[in-house]
Amino acid sequence: MSVAPCTERPVALIDLLDRLLQGGVVLTGDLVLSIADVDLVRIDLRAVIAPVAASALSQISEAPCPRPPAV
């Protein structure tokens, strides 16, 4: 049994995103805004995008809502 190379099989973007999100994705990045070699703003991005299990969703929906404090 032979397996076709990946370059010959068409892969839709939605299929690729589905596969990435099923396993989870970690995004990292740095952004620095500077003027005249003076750093003005620095933003570090660290994000984990992962699927939420159905059990976690059911626990959230079953949890009682907190009541606002009495005034």
Side-chain angles (χ1 to χ4, degrees):
M1 178 178 171
S2 65
V3 177
C6 293
T7 56
E8 294 180 8
R9 289 186 283 168
V11 178
L13 180 60
I14 191 70
D15 293 333
L16 179 62
L17 287 174
D18 187 46
R19 286 187 183 186
L20 286 174
L21 293 178
Q22 282 181 356
V25 177
V26 176
L27 300 173
T28 61
D30 298 319
L31 174 68
V32 178
L33 299 176
S34 60
I35 296 176
D37 287 335
V38 177
D39 294 344
L40 300 175
V41 176
R42 179 181 177 134
I43 299 172
D44 293 329
L45 171 68
R46 308 283 187 267
V48 176
I49 301 173
V52 177
S55 62
L57 284 176
S58 66
Q59 290 176 357
I60 291 172
S61 65
E62 294 174 3
C65 295
R67 295 181 179 216
V71 180

